[in-house]
């Protein structure tokens, strides 16, 4: 099930990010407005427009967030492996999981080491 969701998510994100989509959406909006104008924009027309637009935006937001989370996890894994295989201190591995104060302390310590090395 999880594999299927990831496959569908990747396909939807690729489709939503395609360069033809904005042109299609503009054409669809123009047709939607023309049809609405021909019906004198009944109240249900605005309600349907608002509902469909909100659902589409919410769906795309969830797909993009899922894709970004997966990409960020892969990036962190690659960076951890680079740290592990280099001369960098292993305390930098999984720094993103520490709280903000600990990360700031690590950053200050690193900048202090750079300053000492320059002298």
């Amino acid at each position: 099930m999880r594999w299927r969701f990831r496959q569908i998510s990747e396909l939807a994100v690729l489709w939503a990010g395609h360069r033809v989509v904005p042109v299609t959406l503009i054409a669809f909006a123009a047709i939607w407005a023309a049809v609405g104008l021909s019906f004198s924009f009944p109240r249900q027309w605005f309600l349907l427009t608002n509902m469909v637009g909100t659902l589409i935006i919410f769906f795309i937001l969830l797909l993009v967030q899922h894709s970004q989370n997966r990409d960020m996890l892969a990036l962190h894994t690659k960076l951890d492996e680079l740290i592990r295989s280099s001369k960098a201190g292993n305390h930098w591995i999984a720094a993103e999981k520490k709280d903000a104060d600990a990360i700031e302390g690590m950053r200050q310590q690193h900048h202090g080491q750079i300053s000492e090395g320059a002298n």
Side-chain angles (χ1 to χ4, degrees), residues 7-111:
Q7 192 177 23
I8 292 169
S9 172
E10 287 174 0
L11 191 69
V13 168
L14 282 174
W15 175 82
H18 196 274
R19 64 178 177 258
V20 175
V21 172
V23 174
T24 305
L25 290 176
I26 290 171
F28 180 74
I31 293 168
W32 186 263
V35 171
L37 186 61
S38 69
F39 288 118
S40 300
F41 293 111
R43 173 177 273 157
Q44 293 84 5
W45 192 265
F46 290 114
L47 188 61
L48 182 64
T49 303
N50 192 12
M51 182 186 69
V52 170
T54 301
L55 287 175
I56 289 172
I57 289 170
F58 185 68
F59 180 68
I60 296 294
L61 175 75
L62 289 177
L63 288 175
V64 169
Q65 186 64 45
H66 173 73
S67 177
Q68 284 181 339
N69 287 345
R70 193 181 63 252
D71 290 347
M72 191 57 66
L73 184 62
L75 181 64
H76 283 296
T77 303
K78 291 174 184 179
L79 286 173
D80 288 348
E81 183 57 31
L82 285 173
I83 292 169
R84 204 175 286 113
S85 66
S86 71
K87 294 180 182 180
N90 284 343
H91 65 282
W92 289 103
I93 294 176
E96 70 278 359
K97 295 180 181 176
K98 298 181 181 188
D99 64 356
D101 293 334
I103 293 172
E104 182 60 27
M106 291 170 67
R107 193 179 74 75
Q108 292 296 332
Q109 178 186 6
H110 179 68
H111 284 291

